[in-house]
Amino acid sequence: QVQLVESGGGLVQARDSLRLSCTASGRTFGSYAMGWFRQTPGKERESVAIIGWSDTYTYYADSVKGRFTISRDNAKNTVYLQMNSLKPEDTAVYYCAIGGVVFTTTPKDYNYWGQGTQVTVSA
């Protein structure tokens, strides 16, 4: 059974940094796209950052470019999201997910999801 466990969320002030981690178990996902998504009440889940099997393939939402960095450690089956210069509008529940071998930013293309971790940024 595949499980994704996220950690690293919390309450911070604007301009602070956080690092989210997500470790998968149950199988290896070295060839699969992995990503971070976020959702706020009443809004659809949106993609934040995606990474392909290699660090060469990454995607960032315009709202986080230059502030967030996604990386992965295939040996540990783990994906990270380094979030710097956080803003109140980054407040959301952040989910990690694993997709397929095709690089895609669409949430519906992702098959495995974590339980989510809350990130709250105060002004």
Side-chain angles (χ1 to χ4, degrees):
Q1 182 179 358
V2 175
Q3 283 191 320
L4 278 67
V5 178
E6 299 130 336
S7 62
L11 172 63
V12 297
Q13 294 185 328
R15 295 178 294 280
D16 282 350
S17 297
L18 278 177
R19 188 193 196 205
L20 305 183
S21 300
C22 172
T23 299
S25 61
R27 57 178 290 189
T28 58
F29 294 96
S31 300
Y32 290 64
M34 302 180 79
W36 289 94
F37 300 79
R38 66 187 181 187
Q39 190 168 20
T40 55
K43 293 188 176 181
E44 292 187 356
R45 192 167 297 186
E46 64 173 353
S47 56
V48 175
I50 309 294
I51 187 166
W53 68 272
S54 165
D55 290 355
T56 303
Y57 305 100
T58 57
Y59 160 85
Y60 295 95
D62 288 343
S63 59
V64 307
K65 280 180 182 176
R67 300 187 298 121
F68 291 10
T69 303
I70 189 170
S71 61
R72 66 190 293 168
D73 184 336
N74 288 335
K76 297 181 179 179
N77 240 13
T78 299
V79 62
Y80 305 96
L81 185 67
Q82 177 66 42
M83 305 186 294
N84 298 330
S85 302
L86 282 161
K87 303 175 180 181
E89 50 263 44
D90 293 320
T91 296
V93 177
Y94 283 72
Y95 299 89
C96 72
I98 297 176
V101 294
V102 176
F103 189 89
T104 173
T105 63
T106 306
K108 69 178 180 62
D109 294 331
Y110 284 72
N111 304 309
Y112 303 103
W113 291 86
Q115 79 286 356
T117 185
Q118 177 71 46
V119 172
T120 303
V121 184
S122 63

